[in-house]
Amino acid sequence: MATRAEVEKFLERLREDLERHQIEIPTLPDVSVQALFITQDESSSIADLVNLISRDTALAARLVRHANSPAYRGLTRCATIRSAVTRLGMERARQTIIALSMKEVFQSGNEAIRVRMEELWNHSLEVAIISYLLARRHPHLDPDTALLAGLVHDIGMIPILRRAEKTPEIYEDPRALQAAADAAHVAIGRAMLKNWNFEPEIIRAVAEHENLKREPEEGEPVNYSDILQAANIESHSATRHRLASIDRGSVAAIRRLAAKPGTTRLNWEDDAIGLEHVNQMIE
């Protein structure tokens, strides 16, 4: 079992490497990086994005299916990549590409790490689904942005797991590993998303999702920080995680997103159309 001093030493090295930009940050899948470049280049066109997507048959099929989902379905079905990108728009198509390829980041050649990565991905997927469904209730929010925020909300765990793999006294002690994760994964995740040029609203939501004391200003509309925080808490219901036993009524995000005033129930699972849509997207 790791001592408190060993955990503190592990965290100190993490913080120093973060300040020096020496944290081992996993790279985004090539298609995601290229999609970022294309959509951020003012001289790029839909044709450039279509050409990129067409190189990946599986991705192309999923993008077309996404464009034909209940949330975006028009009078006619999209039969081509171009029609799908046109319907979604460049920005939403880019977010969809990143979301669809994000699972590649949660991979490891180490068997023990792979198991933890799969657990992390499954949790992230659950938070993403709940985030998507909660965002659908608020017309000023984009459900796809909420879904992407959910997928990456714990992305800072990946460098911690990879570093812990080389530090047996931490990796072999679940409590020590959890303590290190709780202390550092948010800051590392924020740095990773900045490095990947993610939207400021997603970075902010990820940075704030563990801050249960945050109180939005009076009259401030529901935002992605509310969505992500509430979805993360909801994902741990009926588990032994510390968030399962908190006073939900004390969390502003839960109060702001409750299905009915004076309650703490979110009732996200009542959205049958949204569930159909998101399930089509992630399957």
Side-chain angles (χ1 to χ4, degrees), residues 16-70:
E16 289 175 352
D17 286 350
L18 184 60
E19 290 175 0
R20 297 169 183 167
H21 304 286
Q22 294 178 344
I23 288 286
E24 182 184 348
I25 294 178
T27 57
L28 277 173
D30 287 344
V31 67
S32 297
V33 173
Q34 293 178 56
L36 281 169
F37 283 141
I38 288 172
T39 54
Q40 291 172 355
D41 185 348
E42 293 182 359
S43 65
S44 296
S45 65
I46 284 180
D48 296 315
L49 193 56
V50 170
N51 288 336
L52 170 65
I53 299 167
S54 65
R55 300 174 199 164
D56 188 325
T57 304
L59 176 62
R62 294 178 73 186
L63 189 75
V64 171
R65 185 169 62 204
H66 182 51
N68 284 319
S69 66

Side-chain angles (χ1 to χ4, degrees), residues 184-256:
H185 83 280
V186 171
I188 293 174
R190 181 173 61 241
M192 290 173 66
L193 297 180
K194 285 183 178 179
N195 180 270
W196 288 343
N197 292 318
F198 267 57
E199 289 86 348
E201 60 228 23
I202 292 181
I203 296 174
R204 177 187 174 190
V206 169
E208 295 182 338
H209 83 274
E210 291 278 357
N211 179 15
L212 301 185
K213 294 182 179 180
R214 59 177 286 275
E215 287 286 345
E217 294 183 8
E218 185 175 353
E220 180 181 349
V222 167
N223 55 37
Y224 295 109
S225 295
D226 293 314
I227 295 288
L228 186 56
Q229 189 172 78
N232 188 47
I233 292 170
E234 185 77 0
S235 72
H236 291 294
S237 298
T239 71
R240 304 174 81 175
H241 192 276
R242 60 182 176 80
L243 291 178
S245 58
I246 64 169
D247 175 11
R248 290 166 63 102
S250 69
V251 180
I254 295 290
R255 297 195 306 269
R256 283 156 62 84

Side-chain angles (χ1 to χ4, degrees), residues 39 56 78 148 262 268:
T39 54
D56 188 325
C78 293
L148 185 53
W268 53 271

Side-chain angles (χ1 to χ4, degrees), residues 35 46 65 70 81 97 115 129 156 167 190 201 236 260:
I46 284 180
R65 185 169 62 204
I81 300 171
I97 291 168
V115 172
I129 291 170
T167 316
R190 181 173 61 241
E201 60 228 23
H236 291 294
K260 295 180 181 179

